[in-house]
Amino acid sequence: LVLFLRSEFSLDVSTVGLLAGIELFVFGLFSTNLGHLSDRYRPSRVFSAGLVMCGILYILLSYSRTPLQFVVLIFLSAMFFGSGWSGIEKIVANSTSGEARLLNIAWLGYYLGFAVGPAVAGYIIDAFSYRHVFMFRGILSVTVGLLAGVLL
């Protein structure tokens, strides 16, 4: 993300750091404040809707041409991803107990994302461009979201 922002928009380091932090901040804000959606509606539908919307916005993000477009789209995608995250946490909580719950949530997002994500992104950047990483993430998110909505 940092390399993309610096190369595409020619921004300085402090601005890039602020823009890169927006996604994590908004994700955390909405994942904690919209947890009641999973209590009110089916958790698989909340997860699926959040992931599909996040994916659509990431596909649009790959076409952003200005920093303002990028900020608006990254804010909205993080908002939908955060709201969908409460659904997957509820699914994991209902299907596991105790220490297995913590391990499953950690494997879902953190370990798998940090291990697989950068490797795939590196290949896509070498073979195509930075923008294709957003396109790939969007297509993958929409696909997983639709599958989750059908299978869970």
Side-chain angles (χ1 to χ4, degrees):
L1 183 61
V2 173
L3 295 174
F4 170 75
L5 290 172
R6 294 212 53 197
S7 68
E8 288 291 321
F9 301 127
S10 302
L11 300 172
D12 63 351
V13 177
S14 59
T15 306
V16 168
L18 178 65
L19 292 178
I22 285 174
E23 184 177 20
L24 186 59
F25 174 75
V26 172
F27 167 77
L29 183 69
F30 280 91
S31 66
T32 56
N33 291 326
L34 293 178
H36 62 84
L37 289 175
S38 295
D39 296 331
R40 187 171 296 161
Y41 305 106
R42 240 172 87 189
S44 61
R45 289 195 180 157
V46 172
F47 172 65
S48 178
L51 200 57
V52 167
M53 287 303 299
C54 178
I56 290 169
L57 289 164
Y58 258 95
I59 292 169
L60 294 175
L61 189 68
S62 70
Y63 294 106
S64 67
R65 296 291 174 218
T66 66
L68 180 61
Q69 289 173 342
F70 182 85
V71 168
V72 169
L73 290 170
I74 201 82
F75 180 90
L76 291 173
S77 68
M79 180 185 78
F80 281 108
F81 188 62
S83 63
W85 187 257
S86 65
I88 197 65
E89 286 179 338
K90 179 91 175 193
I91 292 168
V92 170
N94 290 340
S95 61
T96 59
S97 63
E99 291 179 13
R101 182 176 301 152
L102 176 63
L103 197 60
N104 283 334
I105 289 174
W107 271 104
L108 267 174
Y110 303 111
Y111 301 134
L112 188 61
F114 283 132
V116 176
V120 172
Y123 171 75
I124 292 172
I125 290 168
D126 285 344
F128 303 103
S129 72
Y130 289 113
R131 291 191 178 276
H132 286 88
V133 173
F134 294 114
M135 180 68 74
F136 177 77
R137 181 176 175 185
I139 292 169
L140 184 64
S141 295
V142 168
T143 305
V144 170
L146 291 174
L147 286 173
V150 171
L151 298 176
L152 294 178

